[in-house]
Amino acid sequence: MDVEKLIEGLDVDVWGVADVAEIEHTFHETIERGKYRRALVIGVRLLNDVLETIRDRPTLLYKHHYKTVNWILDQTAFRIASRIRKAGYRALPIAASQEVDWERQLGHLSHKLVGHMAGIGWIGKSELLIHPVHGPRVRYATILTDMPLEVTGQPLESQCGTCTACIDACPAGALSEEGYDMQKCLKKLREFASIRGIGQLICGICIQACPIGR
Ligand code: B12
Ligand code: SF4
Ligand code: SF4
């Protein structure tokens, strides 16, 4: 079975397949080594109109959109995993947004890393996965499987060039040409989470600032 068949009729805007052998050393210890061969990453595009409501802080509309897209991704990953299971293979869906190590701020695996290795995009100066068409305006989930899916691509070179829009826009000073300062970003996100009705570690300013995909 190919990926087109697995995602038929589902809300998937972007997808790619990476070789697990190259990245499984980065997975959380709950994921058994050698059990899976492929990582199928799926992406759902965010809506411009929602992102345009973000100026200097996350809005309630963005918070709801974030939750809705995560829910769609998790449902879709489950449905794909079920199709894989019915075809006789293993499948482990990894949530769009779930932390497993709060001290180090880690998920079970990095969707950005899977996407990067599958050739979906590059890691931009914002530290986000930048798709050549949709930019950072895509959220992701991953399905691990032993189904022998074809690996889709090679990591893309950065095409950020001289752009510094995300660096200039970040209210925490967390972005620079030298890299991303997670502690500064996290501090700002905690501040935003305390705004009435937000309650989530979200921001969206570096997504909204990127000219790619706007
Ligand atoms: C914890 C978490 C956070 C934390 C910590 C962020 C961080 N950088 O680690 C906090 C709360 C601060 C945060 C903030 C945000 N997050 Co967040 N977050 C996550 C989460 C749940 C886990 C990330 C994780 O495990 N990071 C650990 C580090 C080690 O990995 P990484 O940076 O993802 O990947 C790098 C390393 O793996 C490294 N690497 C390590 N080993 C190797 C080996 C090889 C061979 C290579 C090449 C690379 C490599 O390269 C990778 C690429 O940079 C993911 C969902 C997920 N499971 O992926 C979402 C996720 C990364 N967040 C996302 C988003 C959008 C945000 C925010 C914009 C908030 C918002 N939604 O409004 C900000 C953006 C911050 C920024 N500029 O990066 C999206 C990114 C989408 C995209 N297009 O890139 C994700 C993927 C969620 C999703 N379902 O789409 N996040
Ligand atoms: S999520 Fe907000 S605080 Fe964090 S890097 Fe992006 S713009 Fe800066
Ligand atoms: S805003 Fe510019 S520098 Fe930042 S990720 Fe997008 S293209 Fe790259």
Side-chain angles (χ1 to χ4, degrees):
M1 197 184 288
D2 61 17
V3 178
E4 291 295 350
K5 199 92 193 134
L6 286 174
I7 64 170
E8 203 175 306
L10 303 177
D11 271 321
V12 177
D13 297 312
V14 170
W15 60 268
V17 178
D19 185 352
V20 163
E22 291 176 20
I23 51 175
E24 70 177 347
H25 65 279
T26 66
F27 294 176
H28 187 257
E29 64 195 16
T30 43
I31 301 174
E32 197 182 313
R33 302 301 186 252
K35 197 167 175 182
Y36 305 101
R37 295 174 65 179
R38 295 292 183 257
L40 167 58
V41 59
I42 55 169
V44 170
R45 158 91 201 206
L46 296 167
L47 294 171
N48 285 349
D49 289 76
V50 176
L51 292 172
E52 281 161 16
T53 65
I54 300 171
R55 290 180 193 102
D56 59 354
R57 66 193 63 191
T59 58
L60 290 175
L61 285 168
Y62 175 61
K63 176 256 182 97
H64 192 70
H65 193 52
Y66 161 88
K67 289 182 73 175
T68 304
V69 173
N70 282 347
W71 184 83
I72 291 171
L73 280 164
D74 291 343
Q75 301 276 322
T76 305
F78 170 74
R79 294 179 71 179
I80 293 171
S82 291
R83 289 177 184 183
I84 294 175
R85 176 184 63 77
K86 285 173 193 157
Y89 295 95
R90 288 182 182 280
L92 182 68
I94 307 294
S97 198
Q98 183 185 43
E99 287 175 30
V100 64
D101 180 333
W102 290 268
E103 274 67 50
R104 294 190 295 157
Q105 288 288 317
L106 300 177
H108 286 91
L109 55 72
S110 164
H111 304 311
K112 289 189 300 186
L113 177 60
V114 178
H116 181 63
M117 298 306 279
I120 283 185
W122 66 91
I123 304 300
K125 291 179 196 173
S126 59
E127 188 78 3
L128 295 170
L129 182 65
I130 311 295
H131 183 275
V133 175
H134 304 296
R137 298 172 174 235
V138 184
R139 292 188 64 76
Y140 297 95
T142 300
I143 302 102
L144 295 176
T145 182
D146 59 355
M147 194 181 230
L149 299 170
E150 202 176 318
V151 172
T152 46
Q154 291 294 314
L156 298 184
E157 286 292 313
S158 171
Q159 292 166 36
C160 286
T162 56
C163 176
T164 57
C166 52
I167 297 176
D168 302 341
C170 174
L175 302 174
S176 71
E177 295 283 356
E178 283 68 54
Y180 164 72
D181 185 329
M182 200 255 278
Q183 290 305 335
K184 283 188 181 169
C185 173
L186 187 58
K187 189 163 173 256
K188 184 53 81 179
L189 267 53
R190 287 193 172 130
E191 204 180 298
F192 287 149
S194 69
I195 298 172
R196 189 171 184 188
I198 298 295
Q200 305 275 335
L201 291 175
I202 55 169
C203 167
I205 294 173
C206 49
I207 302 178
Q208 163 65 356
C210 186
I212 304 177
R214 194 176 278 159

